[in-house]
Amino acid sequence: MQVINTVADSDVAVKVTSLSKRFPNGTLALDNVSLEVPRGQVLALIGLSGSGKSTLLRTLNGLHAPTGGKVVVQGTDVSTANGKSLRKLRHHIGFVFQQFGLVGRATCMENVLVGSLGSLRGPRLGVRSYPVALRRKALEQLERVGLSEQAFQRADTLSGGQMQRVAIARSLMQEPSVLLADEPVASLDPESANQVLDLILRIAREDGMTVICTLHQVELALGWSDRIVGLRAGQVVLDQMNAQLSQDQVMEVYRATGTPMQFETESALQSA
Amino acid sequence: MSPSATRERLSPPITATQVQLFIFTVACVAAFVWSWIFLGMSFSGITSSFGDVSRLVKRMVPPDFSNLSNIVDATIETVWMAVMGTAGAIVLSFPLALGAARNTSPHPTIRYICRTVISLTRAVPDLVLGAVFVSALSIGPLPGVLALAIHSIGMVGKLFADAIEQAAEAPREATISVGATRRQTTRASILPQAMPSMIATALFRLEINIRASTVLGLVGAGGIGVLIQTSLRSLDYESALGAVAVIFVVVTAVELLSVRIRSAILGDAAALAQSSRHGWFSQRIIARDTRVNRKSFETRALSPPWTWDRMFSTATISGFLLALAVAVLTIDIDWARTVPLMPQIITVFGDLFPPDFTTVRSEMVTGIVESVVIAVIATGLGLLIAVPLSLLAARNIMTKRILSTVTRLVMLAFRGIPELIIAVIFVSAMGLGPVPGTLALTVVTASFSAKLFAEALEEVDAAPREAVLAVGAGKIQEFFASVVPQFMPAFTGHFLYILDVNLRSSTVLGIVGGGGIGFLLLNSMRVLEFQTTGAIVMAIFGIVLAIELIGNWVRQLLR
């Protein structure tokens, strides 16, 4: 199933080899996953909830430590990086979360400035504690996502789509070479979802970023990415360039597996 | 674009709110510094004071339990007083809350009256009420019970009203639309929603009242408090520690129990199922609930099945009622003698009016200033200790579980001894005066607010924290960028609350010789100058009202 395995190492942004992740409670979230993502590719990661998509993304920037296998991002081995080297690596990997990860009470500007913490020494509190040059840069990023007017508005006063755009501006502060996006549009209405995905795609093309993005909506994944990788129960079950795929093939990833147990739990919760 | 315009856009605009918060902060710091100088506090003084206290504590060891039966009797009386006081508060608060809540109040005027009554009862400290009731009914547990019942209305009534107001609107409309009367609507749609929160409030108040009733004895209102003071006065330190130890055990046990019961009543089963900490137990509960639900469906039962929630609430309520019955039957109150004396309470309250501010004016001013100063220093110092403690105790900040557990245990240990008892011990060690009172209050503030802060820290949203770590920030950077901004509103809110609590406490510290207006208050009652008492109560009332207004102002800034 592997399509792209003939690229030179220097052109590889992310290389995952036989990666496994077992959580302390025993769940095997990733089961021997191998994946190679060339520079500048926009990859959509699809699969049911609990199929291991988020875990895979989180392993890529060291938010989760793998229990087996190897993860190399931009030539750095994430699985062995720790402390300072891990922080340095993270500084060059953008991460966009489903729930945005904004500090609601802080202004948009401050939330964007947080993206530069990896290049600064010492703690910061409040916009004024950041150097003016960085503030100017933050404003430019806000401009890029179309929210410079809201710079000093509290983040929790924005709509969901706007919040996600602030979160993207925060990632842009890192000048990332790789952007990881974990269900960036799952909490948004269709209109905002399109806006946010278009924004990510535009920026990725402009800056030559590699993007790995988990998505729920198959149509979005088909219309938007270069390549689609499907996960089921922690294993890669689909890996194709977008052009060769039909919707039915992709839907196959979502084929129901072992649902009776899930049903049991749900009915128990409802009656409780 | 001019350079200045660019600079302006790069710095946040200064809002009126920020200016006001800044003024408030500066005023707080200034008040602390001024109070510090006023009392002549110094760190070396504090160190030597704690030396005095530890020497006294050493003389208290080993505790003497030779009059254990006395201690146990007094403890049981203390607990029964708290149970009866809480029951009285519930009975009195319920109609007041129905009248005060927006969605159940029959008329805006009634709503206003109920709200006023609720806040008035909160403003007079329970010890002051206790002292007034003692002078009407003579010493014994009954004045204590009445004091607890009346003073508790302030909190219980307010939280009951909040619970009623938080009930969803749709069920009420639905009930009205089937033609139900007002009372039927309240009964059918609002009370079921408010009940868990109300039970939790009542339990929490019971916990507070057990602490409070241990010290009511200091003004002759029954309970174990007087035993400790007598032992200390007769230099029988070992017996004093014996009584303190028993109080400690009871208070700590009640707190641990009450926290468990409250979280079980408030938390729904689904949330329990997801929390990994109670995983096994809650899975069993849910499995059992599913089973009994299915069975009652299959057998077409016409009454609700005994689910875990239902059993638990029923057990809690019946347990409380049982305790109440035992309390009423066994407590040492001569109902035949005291009931006819009840009208005297009104006479004594009448004697407080008109308040006479003239007789001891200068002493009164000094006393009030001293009370405020004590509260300010205790709050400031207490917070300085509480913040680092809370960082150690919060499990999402201090990831070394053992350290956070140890910190929690230390905090729990200090909370187990009521503040006035600590004050009695400090006064015995250091002599009369405001400094021992201040230090006692500081110790209590530190352990109490560290608990509040740790809880607030644990409620901090984890999503922004993960996002900040993902950009490559260090742990300390992450703390300042994501935890501090989220924690600030809770911190300020708790700070105001603690200042409020400490002001109330510092007005009664004088009763045990810990400085402030309390001494004058008790004295005026002893010499039967009730109009002076009235003036002091009015003054305390004024302070409490002032801090409440300041608190409302700052809270509104933080919204």
Side-chain angles (χ1 to χ4, degrees):
Chain A
M1 288 261 257
Q2 199 78 8
V3 221
I4 312 107
N5 44 15
T6 52
V7 272
D9 261 9
S10 60
D11 289 334
V12 176
V14 174
K15 185 170 177 173
V16 174
T17 324
S18 340
L19 176 67
S20 297
K21 170 71 185 175
R22 188 183 285 281
F23 284 107
N25 67 8
T27 318
L28 184 63
L30 293 175
D31 186 3
N32 197 22
V33 171
S34 292
L35 196 64
E36 233 179 61
V37 188
R39 266 182 221 290
Q41 190 173 64
V42 175
L43 187 151
L45 207 52
I46 60 167
L48 286 166
S49 304
S51 60
K53 307 186 300 289
S54 296
T55 312
L56 177 56
L57 279 195
R58 275 151 210 263
T59 334
L60 293 184
N61 78 339
L63 284 174
H64 287 336
T67 39
K70 197 173 169 186
V71 179
V72 177
V73 178
Q74 295 290 331
T76 309
D77 188 347
V78 184
S79 30
T80 59
N82 54 24
K84 213 173 173 182
S85 59
L86 183 60
R87 290 209 298 275
K88 198 175 158 201
L89 177 73
R90 279 180 185 166
H91 182 51
H92 297 290
I93 305 177
F95 204 117
V96 177
F97 295 84
Q98 179 186 344
Q99 293 303 333
F100 325 129
L102 300 181
V103 178
R105 297 187 56 86
T107 59
C108 298
M109 178 79 138
E110 191 170 353
N111 273 293
V112 174
L113 280 165
V114 160
S116 65
L117 278 176
S119 65
L120 292 166
R121 281 172 160 275
R124 309 282 153 159
L125 183 60
V127 169
R128 285 191 184 79
S129 64
Y130 290 86
V132 172
L134 282 176
R135 287 190 237 166
R136 192 168 292 128
K137 188 173 156 195
L139 204 58
E140 281 162 16
Q141 305 312 327
L142 276 170
E143 209 141 35
R144 245 181 128 182
V145 300
L147 287 170
S148 57
E149 276 182 30
Q150 281 82 357
F152 293 111
Q153 213 166 306
R154 262 171 62 161
D156 54 11
T157 61
L158 302 180
S159 72
Q162 289 175 322
M163 287 197 202
Q164 196 56 295
R165 277 146 66 197
V166 172
I168 292 170
R170 177 182 60 201
S171 300
L172 293 178
M173 278 301 275
Q174 303 169 241
E175 296 177 5
S177 44
V178 177
L179 183 71
L180 308 174
D182 189 10
E183 310 269 6
V185 298
S187 313
L188 303 180
D189 63 81
E191 174 76 24
S192 316
N194 277 324
Q195 273 186 15
V196 164
L197 285 182
D198 285 348
L199 180 69
I200 293 180
L201 196 61
R202 199 188 75 217
I203 288 168
R205 297 291 188 239
E206 282 172 11
D207 297 4
M209 267 188 314
T210 311
V211 176
I212 303 180
C213 175
T214 64
L215 279 176
H216 258 318
Q217 300 94 324
V218 172
E219 313 86 74
L220 284 180
L222 275 170
W224 180 77
S225 60
D226 301 330
R227 173 185 174 193
I228 294 185
V229 170
L231 286 182
R232 189 192 298 144
Q235 290 175 323
V236 177
V237 292
L238 171 83
D239 185 350
Q240 297 264 311
M241 291 308 282
N242 207 339
Q244 308 161 324
L245 273 170
S246 72
Q247 181 145 358
D248 287 347
Q249 272 175 292
V250 181
M251 282 312 285
E252 185 66 8
V253 174
Y254 285 93
R255 197 189 55 198
T257 49
T259 42
M261 219 188 90
Q262 217 170 2
F263 172 75
E264 188 76 21
T265 332
E266 257 170 32
S267 66
L269 289 180
Q270 273 160 12
S271 66
Chain B
M1 199 188 300
S2 69
S4 70
T6 316
R7 194 168 305 129
E8 262 164 30
R9 272 190 34 177
L10 290 174
S11 295
I14 293 164
T15 60
T17 307
Q18 284 171 330
V19 174
Q20 291 182 62
L21 275 178
F22 180 74
I23 293 173
F24 173 70
T25 314
V26 171
C28 287
V29 174
F32 181 76
V33 173
W34 185 80
S35 304
W36 185 270
I37 297 167
F38 181 89
L39 273 196
M41 301 281 289
S42 70
F43 281 106
S44 61
I46 293 176
T47 323
S48 75
S49 307
F50 278 106
D52 292 342
V53 173
S54 68
R55 267 193 297 284
L56 178 74
V57 172
K58 270 183 202 134
R59 288 172 63 186
M60 295 169 97
V61 191
D64 177 3
F65 291 107
S66 59
N67 61 345
L68 191 63
S69 68
N70 276 347
I71 297 177
V72 169
D73 285 349
T75 308
I76 291 174
E77 182 176 87
T78 306
V79 173
W80 290 156
M81 278 165 62
V83 170
M84 289 171 70
T86 310
I90 295 169
V91 171
L92 295 170
S93 299
F94 191 69
L96 281 171
L98 283 178
R102 201 180 350 91
N103 47 353
T104 50
S105 183
H107 192 274
T109 318
I110 294 180
R111 181 165 180 240
Y112 180 77
I113 294 172
C114 291
R115 293 213 160 254
T116 314
V117 171
I118 290 173
S119 18
L120 282 183
T121 53
R122 213 169 83 90
V124 191
D126 41 12
L127 272 175
V128 175
L129 281 176
V132 173
F133 289 142
V134 164
S135 57
L137 305 171
S138 81
I139 60 169
L142 183 62
V145 169
L146 291 177
L148 291 176
I150 304 285
H151 178 71
S152 306
I153 292 174
M155 178 188 127
V156 177
K158 180 168 186 307
L159 293 182
F160 275 15
D162 286 352
I164 293 170
E165 283 188 352
Q166 273 160 19
E169 183 64 12
R172 190 171 80 105
E173 281 179 348
T175 318
I176 292 173
S177 75
V178 303
T181 64
R182 168 180 289 278
R183 271 176 59 193
Q184 286 173 325
T185 309
T186 305
R187 176 73 188 75
S189 70
I190 293 172
L191 291 187
Q193 295 187 63
M195 200 47 90
S197 157
M198 285 162 81
I199 295 176
T201 300
L203 269 173
F204 188 30
R205 190 64 218 187
L206 178 64
E207 182 194 326
I208 296 174
N209 280 347
I210 285 181
R211 276 164 210 267
S213 63
T214 57
V215 295
L216 278 169
L218 300 177
V219 294
I224 195 172
V226 75
L227 219 64
I228 296 171
Q229 204 172 31
T230 328
S231 321
L232 285 176
R233 283 204 180 128
S234 55
L235 308 183
D236 185 2
Y237 295 118
E238 289 91 346
S239 298
L241 186 61
V244 171
V246 173
I247 292 183
F248 175 81
V249 170
V250 171
V251 168
T252 310
V254 168
E255 176 178 334
L256 292 176
L257 194 68
S258 146
V259 169
R260 293 285 180 289
I261 299 181
R262 274 185 288 144
S263 67
I265 285 179
L266 289 178
D268 59 323
L272 256 179
Q274 279 162 0
S275 89
S276 58
R277 211 149 68 89
H278 308 288
W280 178 82
F281 187 55
S282 47
Q283 293 292 349
R284 295 294 289 266
I285 290 172
I286 288 168
R288 191 188 162 277
D289 280 1
T290 314
R291 209 164 55 238
V292 293
N293 277 329
R294 190 178 297 144
K295 195 175 166 218
S296 69
F297 169 74
E298 282 162 359
T299 58
R300 300 179 168 251
L302 293 176
S303 49
W306 284 98
T307 54
W308 168 261
D309 279 353
R310 185 161 178 234
M311 291 195 301
F312 202 86
S313 308
T314 310
T316 308
I317 294 173
S318 4
F320 182 75
L321 289 178
L322 189 69
L324 180 63
V326 177
V328 171
L329 291 176
T330 61
I331 200 166
D332 182 21
I333 295 177
D334 185 352
W335 298 99
R337 188 184 64 82
T338 42
V339 171
L341 288 176
M342 290 291 193
Q344 285 203 25
I345 295 173
I346 298 160
T347 321
V348 172
F349 269 108
D351 287 345
L352 299 180
F353 292 95
D356 177 5
F357 289 90
T358 51
T359 38
V360 284
R361 181 185 283 157
S362 67
E363 284 173 74
M364 192 150 43
V365 172
T366 320
I368 288 170
V369 170
E370 208 170 75
S371 282
V372 174
V373 160
I374 290 172
V376 167
I377 297 184
T379 309
L381 272 186
L383 292 194
L384 284 181
I385 306 169
V387 168
L389 269 183
S390 65
L391 293 179
L392 283 176
R395 294 203 183 91
N396 54 345
I397 308 286
M398 172 40 72
T399 39
K400 287 221 179 8
R401 195 45 70 83
I402 179 90
L403 262 174
S404 67
T405 307
V406 168
T407 316
R408 273 159 190 272
L409 285 177
V410 171
M411 281 155 44
L412 180 70
F414 276 105
R415 283 201 307 278
I417 310 173
E419 59 197 9
L420 271 186
I421 305 279
I422 296 185
V424 169
I425 296 172
F426 277 39
V427 167
S428 307
M430 298 160 55
L432 297 175
V435 176
T438 310
L439 294 182
L441 209 51
T442 303
V443 170
V444 176
T445 306
S447 56
F448 181 62
S449 30
K451 176 177 183 248
L452 289 180
F453 290 163
E455 279 165 6
L457 282 169
E458 287 184 349
E459 272 166 28
V460 161
D461 184 5
R465 302 190 63 193
E466 193 178 32
V468 174
L469 281 180
V471 306
K475 277 190 179 143
I476 296 172
Q477 287 181 325
E478 181 269 309
F479 177 76
F480 277 90
S482 61
V483 178
V484 173
Q486 292 191 63
F487 175 58
M488 277 324 277
F491 173 80
T492 319
H494 287 327
F495 161 66
L496 291 168
Y497 170 64
I498 289 157
L499 185 63
D500 183 306
V501 169
N502 280 350
L503 270 172
R504 286 160 212 258
S505 307
S506 69
T507 57
V508 296
L509 274 176
I511 290 174
V512 297
I517 188 78
F519 174 72
L520 212 60
L521 180 79
L522 202 61
N523 210 37
S524 69
M525 264 189 265
R526 283 203 181 118
V527 297
L528 305 178
E529 282 176 4
F530 285 113
Q531 293 183 343
T532 306
T533 315
I536 297 170
V537 171
M538 290 310 244
I540 292 177
F541 192 70
I543 302 175
V544 170
L545 210 63
I547 187 66
E548 207 154 286
L549 289 178
I550 295 175
N552 287 344
W553 165 59
V554 178
R555 282 192 193 98
Q556 155 252 312
L557 291 180
L558 285 172
R559 207 164 287 142

